[in-house]
Amino acid sequence: MKKIGILGSTGSIGTQTLDIVRKEKDLEVVSLAAGSNVSLLEAQIREFRPKIAALREEKAAADLRTRVQDLPVRIVSGMEGSAERLLLYLIFILMFCILKERVINAK
């Protein structure tokens, strides 16, 4: 199983990427990062069960922590989340390369 992180998971490309993850049974989402859409990120956390999720603002992260306190997910934000979001970005690039290779090989 390949582990991936989604940077911008609540945006257009992020949601499309998660659509692919739903179809590809050998992909596991281990991290999600979003700007400020707490409601959609909560739904994604509940569906994909990542180990960590990041939001830009601490206020939004505090709200999300309350919403998902029943789940074993770490919620980060601000400076704490910056390094982790950079790692998520690098994982996103890797994930894009893997998915691109699958599309090319499927043709």
Side-chain angles (χ1 to χ4, degrees):
M1 176 141 325
K2 294 181 179 112
K3 298 176 187 294
I4 63 168
I6 310 293
L7 183 65
S9 68
T10 60
S12 176
I13 294 172
T15 56
Q16 290 175 39
T17 302
L18 290 172
D19 287 341
I20 292 169
V21 171
R22 284 181 187 97
K23 296 174 187 170
E24 296 291 329
K25 300 303 179 195
D26 67 332
L27 297 174
E28 176 188 2
V29 176
V30 294
S31 58
L32 295 169
S36 60
N37 191 335
V38 175
S39 295
L40 181 52
L41 186 55
E42 176 189 2
Q44 292 172 344
I45 290 169
R46 292 192 179 283
E47 179 178 357
F48 294 100
R49 307 292 182 162
K51 296 181 184 340
I52 187 168
L55 279 163
R56 187 177 319 127
E57 300 295 326
E58 175 53 35
K59 184 176 179 182
D63 180 23
L64 184 60
R65 277 186 205 101
T66 301
R67 293 177 182 218
V68 297
Q69 63 187 348
D70 59 314
L71 300 174
V73 59
R74 180 169 176 229
I75 307 298
V76 297
S77 69
M79 290 305 289
E80 177 189 17
S82 294
E84 294 181 49
R85 280 196 297 268
L86 175 59
L87 178 59
L88 292 174
Y89 177 71
L90 296 173
I91 293 170
F92 176 78
I93 291 170
L94 177 61
M95 179 225 36
F96 175 79
C97 293
I98 291 169
L99 292 176
K100 182 178 177 184
E101 179 183 338
R102 284 179 181 224
V103 169
I104 290 170
N105 291 336
K107 290 182 179 179

